[in-house]
Amino acid sequence: MRHRRTASLVAMGVAAALLPALTPASASASGAAPEPRAAAVDPLGQYTRQKPRWKRCEPEGPANYECATIKVPLDYSRPDGRKLDVEISRTRATSAEDRRGVLLLNPGGPGNIGLDMPIYLGPQLPDAVKQKYDLIGFDPRGVGRSSPVGCGLNDDELNWQRPYKAATFDKDVRWARTVAEKCRAANGAVLPHLSTRNTARDMDVIRAVLGEKRISYLGYSYGTYLGAVYTQLFPKRTDRFVLDSAVDPERIWRGMIQVWAEGSEPAFTRWTEWTAARNATYELGRTPAEVRKTFWDLVAGANRTPIPVDGVLVSGDDIRSWRAMFFYVTDAAETVVMLKEAAAGKTPAPSGSPSRRGLPTAPVPPSSARDVPADNGDALFWSVVCADTRAWPRDPERYRRDAIRDRAKYPLYGDFASHIKPCAFWGKGAEPATRIDNTVRALVLQNEWDPQTPLVSGQGMRRALKGSRMVTVLDGLGHGVYGSGSCADAIGTAYLVTGRLPAADVSCRTPEGRRTEAPRLAPSAPRDLPGLPGLPGRSDRF
């Protein structure tokens, strides 16, 4: 049995050990934190020695679902300066005797709330895992209950699914500059510090506040990068880390948006083959080439004469922006048939169709996050994506050239992915990006057909974490693996419960008939795109 590290041990020295690991001056962007040195003064002690005041998260919620607010420094190099709130939650391990420690949870994003993950993810976790760990949720800095940011963006400014067109390029440049300027005006002093690197430091404060020597972790999508940054900064405080549907650390963040275009092309090809084999059902073409022509004729026609769908005019570019649907072959075929018939005036499109030019409508947040700016998720998304790395081009003409190039290379989505973004006009983050290169023994889980973090990005994470192992679910569909009932579940559970990693990377196939729907990750990432029943999640997040 492993006993919990007590708060008194934190007061005896763990707090002093945090400072060198947490401050930019002593932890390089590319390497792990140095060994702690004895310090006469403990600037971070005010944070690490906090005593969380736990209370029921919701008046009508489960009694075992507790929340507390802790303080973290906005800037870890100036711990006596401005402070931020970070809201944390927990459900306790079900077995005091078998308890190993804490399992921090992150749903991805960036910009998704994570406070209620212990409640909605808990039922999908095996009893053996819940016996071992307190499940710890938290809203990352700037999100939900954790000092939320907002930029005051209107509907048009929230829409960043913008195809490249010569006629609208200047307008799109003005849009990107306006978003950056509005965010800077609303949160100027905060923006440089809303980085993954600082959120990882916040996680280490959470660890210390909870009195733990090390933490375990389950992070999805963007959460895999957050977890990887923690392993880089705090390798000796890393216990069992499961990184599910992984980001490639070498591609953050413009490259990860561009990989959506790269990953969509093989999915589109696979869809044309599947649909051609079922021409008797869908009548979209007897060969893949015919199906492809049917689709592109539909896109061209909709760009000339937009298709009325439940009172909204859908253009061909809107249809291209739904690139994620082609990972779900049945849904894509049914959607193309519906659009084709609507374009011909045969049948009206069903209710619940795409709005805001193809963007998902904003979900209703849980009560725990109702008092936040309406654009909180989008504001935080840009804040992290722009502040994490200094690699975004500053010249608008670079985006024009890249969009033209990638439209030819990846016709479905290439120009969307490479077109100008607000990061072109964002201020620099407080620190350079973190280079991930360590031997921490993490577990990477990946579906073969993932629309948000394609297989190639999971392989990039595996290369960066040299001590890790990767499980690839062959024919696995969707964004999110652990808890989906796939062949990877048993391996993930064994690792969390026993610490055993596979001897080598594993490729497995889920037996026919077993559930393979991706787990619901975040309340701010709805399961369905409006008008496209069954398609998981937003296609503009990680």
Side-chain angles (χ1 to χ4, degrees):
M1 180 177 107
R2 179 182 172 187
H3 295 281
R4 180 175 178 174
R5 188 169 179 86
T6 64
S8 62
L9 287 178
V10 174
M12 290 170 60
V14 173
L18 274 170
L19 180 61
L22 293 171
T23 56
S26 57
S28 71
S30 61
E35 287 299 311
R37 299 175 183 175
V41 180
D42 177 13
L44 288 176
Q46 61 181 304
Y47 303 103
T48 59
R49 289 194 289 267
Q50 296 175 83
K51 306 292 185 184
R53 300 177 61 183
W54 295 104
K55 62 183 183 300
R56 184 176 290 192
C57 295
E58 301 285 351
E60 305 301 324
N64 69 330
Y65 174 43
E66 302 174 297
C67 287
T69 304
I70 65 172
K71 298 288 185 181
V72 297
L74 170 66
D75 181 352
Y76 275 89
S77 68
R78 295 176 175 83
D80 291 328
R82 181 172 173 179
K83 297 176 175 60
L84 300 178
D85 289 338
V86 169
E87 190 80 1
I88 61 177
S89 66
R90 73 176 177 188
T91 57
R92 293 180 182 271
T94 58
S95 172
E97 182 176 326
D98 294 332
R99 183 186 181 280
R100 179 176 180 83
V102 295
L103 181 68
L104 270 66
L105 307 169
N106 182 273
N112 290 342
I113 64 174
L115 194 66
D116 58 352
M117 281 193 79
I119 294 300
Y120 71 73
L121 190 62
Q124 301 184 57
L125 297 178
D127 289 342
V129 172
K130 289 181 284 190
Q131 289 173 0
K132 288 280 186 183
Y133 300 100
D134 294 350
L135 303 182
I136 306 298
F138 66 101
D139 285 348
R141 57 170 53 205
V143 177
R145 289 185 178 181
S146 295
S147 299
V149 298
C151 300
L153 303 178
N154 61 36
D155 279 357
D156 183 63
E157 290 159 353
L158 289 170
N159 176 17
W160 61 280
Q161 298 285 4
R162 293 171 180 259
Y164 170 76
K165 294 180 180 297
T168 60
F169 180 73
D170 289 343
K171 178 183 176 182
D172 292 336
V173 171
R174 288 195 299 273
W175 159 78
R177 182 182 287 110
T178 297
V179 171
E181 289 175 347
K182 290 181 78 168
C183 288
R184 189 159 49 246
N187 313 281
V190 175
L191 293 186
H193 305 287
L194 296 178
S195 64
T196 301
R197 193 172 173 87
N198 275 335
T199 301
R201 291 172 173 133
D202 295 344
M203 286 170 55
D204 208 51
V205 171
I206 294 172
R207 174 199 61 77
V209 166
L210 295 177
E212 298 292 333
K213 182 178 179 180
R214 296 191 292 174
I215 61 170
S216 294
Y217 180 81
L218 170 58
Y220 293 89
S221 196
Y222 161 75
T224 66
Y225 182 65
L226 174 59
V229 170
Y230 187 91
T231 70
Q232 190 68 33
L233 295 179
F234 308 103
K236 293 186 178 180
R237 296 168 190 167
T238 299
D239 196 9
R240 299 168 184 176
F241 271 48
V242 177
L243 307 181
D244 189 316
S245 307
V247 165
D248 182 350
E250 293 296 320
R251 297 192 186 209
I252 64 156
W253 283 108
R254 190 180 187 219
M256 278 304 304
I257 294 174
Q258 290 172 320
V259 83
W260 291 342
E262 179 183 337
S264 295
E265 291 300 324
F268 181 74
T269 297
R270 172 173 167 261
W271 172 75
T272 64
E273 295 167 350
W274 184 92
T275 304
R278 293 158 180 80
N279 185 56
T281 300
Y282 299 109
E283 297 182 343
L284 294 176
R286 292 167 295 179
T287 67
E290 288 182 1
V291 173
R292 186 179 293 267
K293 183 176 186 303
T294 297
F295 174 78
W296 286 111
D297 286 349
L298 176 69
V299 167
N303 276 334
R304 290 190 300 270
T305 306
I307 303 170
V309 181
D310 194 26
V312 176
L313 294 179
V314 175
S315 72
D317 291 325
D318 293 334
I319 298 169
R320 288 198 298 125
S321 77
W322 304 339
R323 50 107 198 150
M325 74 178 177
F326 292 103
F327 288 79
Y328 306 88
V329 290
T330 301
D331 295 306
E334 292 175 354
T335 299
V336 171
V337 168
M338 176 270 288
L339 290 170
K340 188 168 177 283
E341 291 179 349
K346 293 182 180 179
T347 58
S351 175
S353 55
S355 62
R356 285 205 291 129
R357 296 183 56 79
L359 283 180
T361 53
V364 177
S367 59
S368 63
R370 297 274 169 87
D371 298 326
V372 302
D375 65 343
N376 177 234
D378 293 84
L380 200 284
F381 177 83
W382 291 122
S383 296
V384 172
V385 166
C386 300
D388 262 0
T389 172
R390 298 172 180 174
W392 287 92
R394 300 295 178 179
D395 180 5
E397 289 301 319
R398 167 74 181 276
Y399 292 90
R400 185 203 297 270
R401 294 192 299 270
D402 290 353
I404 293 170
R405 177 200 66 199
D406 288 346
R407 173 67 189 268
K409 192 173 183 180
Y410 307 116
L412 191 63
Y413 196 74
D415 56 323
F416 284 90
S418 292
H419 198 12
I420 197 161
K421 304 292 186 290
C423 299
F425 303 102
W426 215 265
K428 288 185 178 181
E431 302 172 81
T434 303
R435 183 169 182 266
I436 308 300
D437 181 15
N438 64 59
T439 58
V440 169
R441 291 172 53 79
L443 181 65
V444 179
L445 305 180
Q446 187 70 38
N447 277 330
E448 183 178 10
W449 296 102
D450 182 330
Q452 298 309 105
T453 52
L455 179 59
V456 66
S457 71
Q459 292 167 339
M461 179 65 81
R462 170 64 181 89
R463 286 192 299 271
L465 294 175
K466 295 176 174 56
S468 67
R469 295 292 182 268
M470 181 171 175
V471 180
T472 302
V473 181
L474 300 176
D475 292 330
L477 176 64
H479 190 48
V481 180
Y482 190 59
S484 70
S486 79
C487 57
D489 278 4
I491 299 173
T493 297
Y495 171 63
L496 286 172
V497 172
T498 70
R500 292 195 306 268
L501 280 176
D505 291 346
V506 175
S507 293
C508 65
R509 198 178 302 273
T510 302
E512 190 71 24
R514 287 186 61 184
R515 182 172 69 89
T516 57
E517 181 186 358
R520 178 175 176 266
L521 300 184
S524 53
R527 291 297 304 164
D528 300 327
L529 293 180
L532 304 177
L535 298 191
R538 298 182 59 154
S539 61
D540 61 349
R541 291 290 185 275
F542 301 103

